[in-house]
Amino acid sequence: MKKILVAIDGSEPSLKAARMAVDIAKPDAAAVTLAYCIPPIVYPSEMAWVPPVEFEQQQRQAAEAVLIQAREKLVPNGVNVDRIVLRGPVAETIADEAVANRYDMVVVGSRGHGAVKRLLVGSVATRLVHICETPILVVR
Amino acid sequence: MPAVLLGFDGSAPSRRALTQAVHLAQVMGARLEVVHALAPILLAPSTYSQAVADIERKERDEGARLLAEAVAEATAAGVTARGTCQLGTPAELLLDLAASDEVKALVVGSRGRGAVARVLLGSVADQIVKASPKPVLVVR
């Protein structure tokens, strides 16, 4: 095990996923990458006065902030933790990233900010389990 | 001692899951519990014949052989492992065992011997991801 990719959206299950990824990475001195994926959302009309480029920059800054916060909540214990911001349909983009950059494992929280509370597994985790070619760990 | 639970039916994905489960047990300092489910043959008692008994015995023997194989692979990697062969549906069996406090994670192949080849995710993996109280690693 050399590289572990964690899908982060700042939700508690995603932070739990990150903690577990660090635990798994430690004995092998594997590297952990926290990934935030910005979904392709409709440009909200109340943002219409913001130029698209600036809007994208704001999204990116918000994503970076979530990743930095997540990183601060981790006790890395010597594990190398870095971060990336991705763009696109969340599950597909994470799955592609895992294959493209040869990650050994993907770790994801069972549901993120978006999921309806009574669901045990959110749509992103469900979709990832279906499409991800890399071994995928769903953390409750 | 913490335990990693593995569903094993001898299919190619379950063999890849075995490799991942052994590794997970290593990094978690856990033992490995390998589970093989025997499908109950539902027949009226009056129709129960020697032929059915023979099939059941064959399946039990086959299960025991698969478990011995899996346990040997784990032991060779320095992981304490034990095999259990039980009557029941795989998902229910694994989820029942997963309720134990000792179980820290479950590992399953994305599809077993039962799934149609074109299905990316079998029903067992799907049910386990949806209902497991513990982290689940799905291996393609």
Side-chain angles (χ1 to χ4, degrees):
Chain A
M1 187 93 50
K2 295 213 163 55
K3 292 170 77 179
I4 302 176
L5 184 66
V6 190
I8 295 285
D9 71 349
S11 64
E12 188 45 48
S14 79
L15 296 176
K16 213 171 158 189
R19 283 194 289 272
M20 188 152 180
V22 168
D23 289 345
I24 292 171
K26 194 172 184 291
D28 292 345
V32 171
T33 301
L34 307 181
Y36 187 103
C37 186
I38 302 168
I41 61 157
V42 180
Y43 195 54
S45 59
E46 63 266 36
M47 298 292 283
W49 54 275
V50 182
V53 175
E54 205 176 297
F55 179 66
E56 286 199 2
Q57 275 171 359
Q58 286 179 8
Q59 279 187 316
R60 176 168 283 274
Q61 278 167 12
E64 292 276 3
V66 169
L67 289 175
I68 290 166
Q69 264 185 22
R71 174 69 174 78
E72 279 168 358
K73 285 180 187 156
L74 291 175
V75 185
N77 283 324
V79 173
N80 183 29
V81 181
D82 61 358
R83 55 176 201 265
I84 47 167
V85 175
L86 304 166
R87 247 176 217 287
V90 180
E92 285 77 1
T93 307
I94 298 278
D96 288 349
E97 169 69 16
V99 172
N101 286 311
R102 298 170 182 276
Y103 283 90
D104 299 298
M105 186 185 284
V106 175
V107 188
V108 65
S110 60
R111 59 186 172 82
H113 274 319
V116 179
K117 282 280 187 297
R118 70 187 159 73
L119 288 181
L120 281 175
V121 187
S123 59
V124 171
T126 303
R127 182 109 189 96
L128 263 172
V129 169
H130 277 86
I131 63 171
C132 194
E133 285 175 41
T134 311
I136 171 154
L137 179 63
V138 180
V139 180
R140 183 90 59 225
Chain B
M1 189 183 188
V4 169
L5 204 60
L6 167 73
F8 190 72
D9 68 355
S11 63
S14 83
R15 286 177 190 279
R16 289 190 285 273
L18 167 64
T19 310
Q20 293 289 332
V22 167
H23 188 256
L24 199 60
Q26 280 174 335
V27 297
M28 292 174 87
R31 66 189 166 81
L32 183 65
E33 193 79 45
V34 191
V35 181
H36 179 82
L38 293 171
I41 301 174
L42 294 172
L43 283 176
S46 57
T47 55
Y48 194 89
S49 64
Q50 187 57 42
V52 177
D54 285 346
I55 292 170
E56 284 181 344
R57 188 170 41 76
K58 257 187 196 159
E59 288 197 341
R60 262 201 312 279
D61 292 349
E62 168 73 357
R65 192 183 60 73
L66 286 171
L67 286 174
E69 236 179 83
V71 168
E73 188 171 325
T75 310
V79 169
T80 309
R82 193 179 65 173
T84 356
C85 202
Q86 276 185 47
L87 209 62
T89 55
E92 274 178 38
L93 212 54
L94 282 165
L95 288 169
D96 279 352
L97 293 167
S100 155
D101 281 344
E102 283 196 333
V103 175
K104 300 302 173 199
L106 280 79
V107 185
V108 286
S110 61
R111 57 187 166 80
R113 291 192 301 193
V116 181
R118 71 189 151 72
V119 174
L120 282 177
L121 191 73
S123 59
V124 175
D126 195 36
Q127 286 172 46
I128 286 171
V129 168
K130 283 189 178 129
S132 169
K134 308 284 165 63
V136 182
L137 178 62
V138 180
V139 183
R140 186 125 293 143

